Amino acid sequence: MNVQKKRLTRRDFLRYAGLAAGATALSACAAPTPVVVETEKVVEKAVPQTVVVEKAVPQTVVVEKEKVVTATPVPIKKDTPIIIATPTEDAGLFLPLTHVDFPGYFLNRALLCYDFKGGTYDVVPSLAKSYEVLDNGLRYRLHLRDDAYYHGGGKYEAEHSKWYIEMEMKDDHPYHHLAVRGQSRASNVDHVEAVDKTTLDIYLKAVFPAEPDWLTSWHEWAPHNPETIKKLEKEIANHPDGLGPYKLLEWQKGSRLILEKHDKYWDPNEGLASQLIFRPVTEVQARIAALEAGEIHWMGDVPVDEALRLATNPELRVAQQKTLWVWFIHFDTRKKPLDDVRVRQALNYAVDKETLIKDVLRGAAVRSYSPLSPQFGPYYAGNVVRHYDYDPQKAKDLLAEAGYPNGFDEIDGQPAILYGYSGRMGSGKPAPMLEFIQAQWKAVGVNVKIEMSDFASFEAKRQAGDFPMAMRGWTPSSADPDGVLSQNFHKNFLPPEGRNVCWLDDAEVNTLLDTAMSTIDMPKRIQAMLDAQKRIVDLAPWLFVMHEVAFEAYNAKLQDYVAWPGGRAAGMVYAWLKV
Amino acid sequence: MNLRLLLQRLIHLIPVLFGVSVITFSILHLAPGDPVLLMVPAQATQEEVERVRHNLGLDQPLPVQYMSWIGNALRGDLGTSLFASQPVMDLVLERFPATVLLTAAALGFALLVGVSLGLVASLRRDTVLDRVTMVMSVMGWSMPPFWIGLMLIIFFAVQLRWLPTGGMFSLSAMKPTAPDVAKHLILPAFTLGVRHMCYVARLTRSSMLEVLGEDYVRTARSKGLKERVVVIRHALRNALIPVVTVAGVSVGRLLGGAVVVETVFGWPGLGRLTVTGILERDFPLVQGTILFAATTFVIVNFLVDLLYAWLDPRIRYT
C-alpha cells in the first residue's frame, strides 16, 4: 500500500491549536475539586506531629504550677542556626511597651507564659515560678525566680518589674515618654509593690479574673533592664536587654536579624539552637520558594492550597493549628431592617457555612457556632447555643414574618453594602467568601453590594461605627474569652470608646458578662460566659461563619518543634536542626 | 551652559519639590486610616487612643503638622517613624544604597541589552532576527514584573537552585561580599529591568531607522567611511537622544517598580520600606521616603538635561 505521509497544512495547524486552546479553557472553567473535604484529614495527612490541645480549665485561687525541669542534661545540638522567615518588614521592634513581633518571643520573658512546649494556651510559670490570688482577687502575689539574668548580665529582681510597670502607668515616671504606645493591660492595676527581691504584689483596682492571661503579655510584663533603659533611652530599641533565652547579636534592617543563645538563661531546655536568624520576606510566594529551596527553615501563614502541596514534599513538614480567630459579619443592630432579630437570624440561616468552608476555604476552617472558638476550652459554647444550620426556607419565613417577604436591598434607606478588607493575614479569602455569602443572601431575596478597602481605611471607618454590615476577623490579644465577648457585645464598649460596632446593648448580656468579669469563682464564671454566648447567638448580631485553621511549614530537619496555636514560631525555643 | 543658568534651573526645582511635599502630606493625611488605631491593641479605650495620638503630635491641626514637618525636613530631619520609633532619615539612608544598586543594575542592563538589540534589529530590518526581537520585546513589555519575578524564582532558584530566591546576601555569611551580592542581584535586576530593556530596544530600533535615512548618514557613507563608523559615530549617537530622555524618565519608573520587585525578592530597599509605611499609615516614614525618592528623581532628570548638550552638539543652553 502506498502510504503517503500527510503534510501538516496551515489549516490543520490552526485547527489543532484551536482544539487545544478550547480543551485548556474548558478544563480551566471546570469547578475546582476541593482536595480536602474534612479538616481532620489534613491533620492526619499533613501534620503527624501536631498536637492540638484545648485550653484547660483555669485554676481558681492558688496556682502552684512549677515547670518541671528534667534532671538529665539536654544534649547539645546547637551548631546550625535556624532561619525563620517573617512576613513583616523589620522582623521586630524592641522599644519598651511596643508591639513585639516574632523576635520578642525569644528575647523577652514575661511574668507568666503560655505553654509553648505543649502547644496550648495554658498559663505556665515564667519569670514568676508561681502565684497566689489574695484579697478576694484584688491582689496577685508573684513568687519570682532568683536565677534570671538580663542579656547584659544584670540580675533580675522584683523591683525591676515594679519600675517597668510604673513606666507605663505613671505620667510622672521619668521614662514614661518611652511608653508612647499606651497599652491597656496595666490599666486595671492600682499599684505594684516589690515585697522583697523575689516577691511582687500587683494590686488591682477591681477583681479581674483574666489577670493571669494578661500577665503573659510581652509588653508590660516582660521587663528590660532598667539600668540599660536609663542609659540608652530610645536607643534601647536597637539594643534590647531582656530576659529571654536568646539575645540580639546583629540587626541589619530589612535583611536579617540574628539572635544568639543567652548562656545565663535559667532553663537549659530552652534555646537549643545556637542562633535564630530572622529574614523578612513580605511576599508569601517568595517565602514558599525560599522554603522549598532550603534557604529558610520555617514560615507561617501558609495559604491552604500551598499547604496541601507542600505537605507532599518529603523535605518539608506542614503543621496546622486551630486558632482563637473568629471570622464574622457584624450587623448594626440599630439600623432597619437589621434592628429586627428575625432578620438577623434569617441572614444566619440563609448561609451554608459548611459548603463555604469546604469549597471556598478548602476545609481550612472550623465552623463558628458562637463567637468563641473551640480553643477556648471550657468556655466554648458550640454544643449549647442555637445552631443556624443552612435552611433557606426558614430564612425566607423569618424575613416574611419580619415584614420582608421579598427580602430587602436597602438598610436605613441606603443601598445595602457589605464592607470588607483585603491584604491582611488571617482573614481567610475575604473576596470569595463575601461573594459566596452575597449569592446565598440573594437566593432569599437580600441583595447587597460588596465594597472592599485596605485594612487601615476599613478599620478607621469601622471604629467610627460607619458600617451597617461588614466582615471582620478578630483574635483577642490574650486567650481569655473576655477579649472577644465584652469587647464586641458589652454596652461599655459601644463606639466611639469601644469596638462593639453592632451596637448591642442587651441587659441580659451585659449582666452575664459583668458577672463573668467580676468573679474568681471559675465554675460560676464559665457558666456566665456560656449563658452570655447563648443569649448573644439568639440575638444574632453577627453572621457566625468560621474559626480559622492556620498552617505553618518547615524543613523536615527541624527537630522537636511544636507548633503553638498563636503562631510566630514560639515553639522554636525547643527546636534544633539535624544536619 | 553658564553658571547662572545652571543656578536658575536648580532654583526651578524648589517649587517642584515643594509641590511634592504638599501633595504627599495631604494625600496621606486625607486618606482614610488612622495610624493610632493600628498601633494600639484592640481593647484600648478611647482615652488611651487619644493619649497615644497626643504623644505622637497627631492631634495638632494639619497646617501646623505640615509646617513643623517641612521646617525640620529643610534641616535634614524627616521626623521619627511612628512604628519603628527611629529617625526616618536613618531608615532611608540605611535602605537607599540597596535601591540605588538595584535600580542602577536594572537601568544598566536595560540600556546595554536594549540598545544592542535595537541596533541589531534596525540593521537587520525585516529579517527573522528583527521580527523575533520585536515580538519578544512586546512580550517582555506586556508581562507584569511580579509574575516574571516569581517565575524566575521558581525556575532558577527552586528548580535549578542556581541562584538564591531573594535577599541581598547569604544569611549565613557574616560579611556580605561583592560576588555574593552580585549573585543575589541577578534575578531582581533582570526582573526590574526587563520591561525597560524591551522599550529601549523598540525605541532604539525606530530611532535608528529614522536616522539611517538622514542626509548626513548618506553623506558619511558617500565619503567612504566604514559602515561601523557610520553606524556607531554618526547614526547611533543621534539615535540615542530619545533613549537618553527615556532613561531619565525610566529612573522614576524603576524607583516605582522597585517597590514590587523589592517585595517579591525581599530586597532591603526603599520601596519595601515605603510599602510597609503605607500599609501602617506611618505618615512621617512615607512622607520622608517619597520626598527623598522625588528629590532623587528630579536631580537625575536635571543631570539628563545636561547630558543632552554633550550628546547633541545642536543643543546648547544659553
Side-chain angles (χ1 to χ4, degrees), chain B residues 32-261:
Chain B
D34 183 347
V36 180
L37 286 183
L38 297 177
M39 201 179 274
V40 298
Q43 64 265 30
T45 62
Q46 189 67 15
E47 189 192 338
E48 281 167 336
V49 168
E50 290 312 320
R51 186 166 70 97
V52 174
R53 198 186 305 284
H54 176 74
N55 285 343
L56 297 171
L58 294 173
D59 54 347
Q60 299 280 323
L62 278 187
V64 176
Q65 286 188 47
Y66 175 77
M67 289 314 290
S68 141
W69 172 67
I70 199 73
N72 289 329
L74 288 173
R75 290 193 292 272
D77 174 9
L78 292 173
T80 303
S81 156
L82 300 183
F83 278 82
S85 301
Q86 314 248 328
V88 170
M89 196 51 129
D90 289 2
L91 292 171
V92 167
L93 291 179
E94 260 171 20
R95 300 300 189 86
F96 190 57
T99 298
V100 170
L101 180 63
L102 177 62
T103 315
L107 189 64
F109 159 75
L111 290 178
L112 204 70
V113 181
V115 169
S116 310
L117 286 178
L119 189 65
V120 171
S122 67
L123 296 176
R124 301 274 180 277
R125 188 183 181 180
D126 292 337
T127 61
V128 176
L129 186 71
D130 179 27
R131 296 271 180 249
V132 170
T133 311
M134 288 305 107
V135 168
M136 295 292 279
S137 67
V138 169
M139 282 172 65
W141 176 251
S142 318
M143 285 190 287
F146 73 90
W147 183 82
I148 298 178
L150 287 172
M151 290 303 115
L152 292 175
I153 290 177
I154 290 170
F155 190 67
F156 288 104
V158 179
Q159 299 297 331
L160 299 175
R161 301 206 178 184
W162 288 353
L163 293 166
T165 59
M168 194 171 164
F169 47 83
S170 303
L171 289 177
S172 47
M174 283 319 285
K175 285 225 168 106
T177 58
D180 189 32
V181 172
K183 202 172 154 188
H184 284 76
L185 185 61
I186 295 173
L187 291 184
F190 179 83
T191 309
L192 183 59
V194 69
R195 296 187 81 207
H196 300 273
M197 183 264 280
C198 295
Y199 188 62
V200 167
R202 292 187 72 83
L203 193 68
T204 308
R205 178 181 176 273
S206 60
S207 183
M208 272 300 284
L209 289 177
E210 198 185 314
V211 169
L212 286 174
E214 293 282 341
D215 289 346
Y216 62 82
V217 172
R218 197 165 50 239
T219 311
R221 281 199 177 117
S222 63
K223 280 198 297 184
L225 291 177
K226 284 181 190 163
E227 185 64 14
R228 190 169 54 86
V229 178
V230 173
V231 169
I232 303 292
R233 194 179 297 166
H234 293 263
L236 186 62
R237 191 168 168 187
N238 286 299
L240 279 185
I241 291 172
V243 176
V244 171
T245 312
V246 165
V249 179
S250 284
V251 171
R253 289 215 178 127
L254 287 169
L255 282 173
V259 173
V260 175
V261 174

Side-chain angles (χ1 to χ4, degrees), chain A residues 496-510:
Chain A
E497 280 76 26
R499 302 192 179 187
N500 173 1
V501 287
C502 23
W503 297 86
L504 189 74
D505 183 2
D506 179 71
E508 190 181 334
V509 171
N510 293 336

Side-chain angles (χ1 to χ4, degrees), chain A residues 159-429:
Chain A
E159 194 62 43
H160 296 174
S161 275
K162 173 181 158 67
W163 188 91
Y164 202 76
I165 296 165
E166 287 177 347
M167 179 162 75
E168 186 213 341
M169 283 171 56
K170 294 188 172 177
D171 290 349
D172 57 352
H173 188 288
Y175 295 89
H176 179 69
H177 59 280
L178 291 179
V180 284
R181 290 155 230 252
Q183 300 277 346
S184 57
R185 290 202 187 181
S187 57
N188 60 336
V189 175
D190 185 72
H191 67 283
V192 186
E193 275 179 21
V195 181
D196 57 40
K197 284 190 174 179
T198 58
T199 312
L200 185 75
D201 277 356
I202 297 178
Y203 291 82
L204 303 184
K205 291 174 186 160
V207 171
F208 189 66
E211 193 61 25
D213 278 280
W214 280 33
L215 289 173
T216 63
S217 155
W218 303 105
H219 313 299
E220 297 86 339
W221 320 113
H224 288 231
N225 193 340
E227 294 310 315
T228 314
I229 295 177
K230 286 175 195 168
K231 202 165 76 188
L232 297 179
E233 290 241 346
K234 277 197 170 179
E235 265 302 294
I236 187 83
N238 291 321
H239 306 279
D241 192 8
L243 291 159
Y246 285 94
K247 60 185 179 184
L248 183 65
L249 178 67
E250 185 201 301
W251 185 9
Q252 290 194 12
K253 290 184 187 126
S255 292
R256 66 179 178 188
L257 184 146
I258 306 179
L259 305 185
E260 69 170 353
K261 191 174 159 61
H262 172 33
D263 290 329
K264 291 178 100 176
Y265 186 69
W266 64 78
D267 185 351
N269 291 300
E270 287 186 44
L272 298 189
S274 61
Q275 289 185 349
L276 300 180
I277 302 179
F278 295 86
R279 173 175 154 189
V281 189
T282 43
E283 220 290 313
V284 65
Q285 291 300 334
R287 279 202 297 283
I288 292 169
L291 183 76
E292 289 186 279
E295 290 177 17
I296 60 163
H297 300 122
W298 182 95
M299 69 170 286
D301 296 303
V302 185
V304 56
D305 303 330
E306 293 291 350
L308 296 168
R309 185 177 68 77
L310 296 179
T312 62
N313 183 338
E315 291 176 12
L316 301 176
R317 297 279 178 274
V318 175
Q320 71 164 10
Q321 315 102 38
K322 292 174 181 169
T323 63
L324 299 173
W325 195 275
V326 56
W327 193 95
F328 54 90
I329 285 169
H330 58 78
F331 305 125
D332 185 336
T333 57
R334 303 166 307 168
K335 296 191 172 161
K336 256 191 180 340
L338 300 173
D339 58 343
D340 190 319
V341 66
R342 290 167 297 189
V343 171
R344 301 195 300 266
Q345 288 177 340
L347 294 176
N348 268 282
Y349 281 118
V351 176
D352 183 354
K353 278 76 74 177
E354 264 97 8
T355 304
L356 187 152
I357 290 168
K358 194 176 78 180
D359 289 354
V360 181
L361 299 174
R362 302 189 72 186
V366 179
R367 181 178 156 185
S368 158
Y369 294 100
S370 91
L372 298 185
S373 89
Q375 287 298 99
F376 281 97
Y379 299 104
Y380 175 62
N383 306 323
V384 293
V385 296
R386 174 205 295 254
H387 284 194
Y388 292 106
D389 294 329
Y390 179 51
D391 190 343
Q393 190 51 49
K394 195 164 183 177
K396 283 182 190 165
D397 294 346
L398 279 165
L399 283 170
E401 218 177 282
Y404 302 95
N406 301 317
F408 61 89
D409 52 17
E410 285 188 349
I411 298 171
D412 253 7
Q414 301 291 324
I417 296 174
L418 174 56
Y419 292 89
Y421 58 87
S422 55
R424 194 164 169 94
M425 282 171 299
S427 312
K429 296 178 180 171

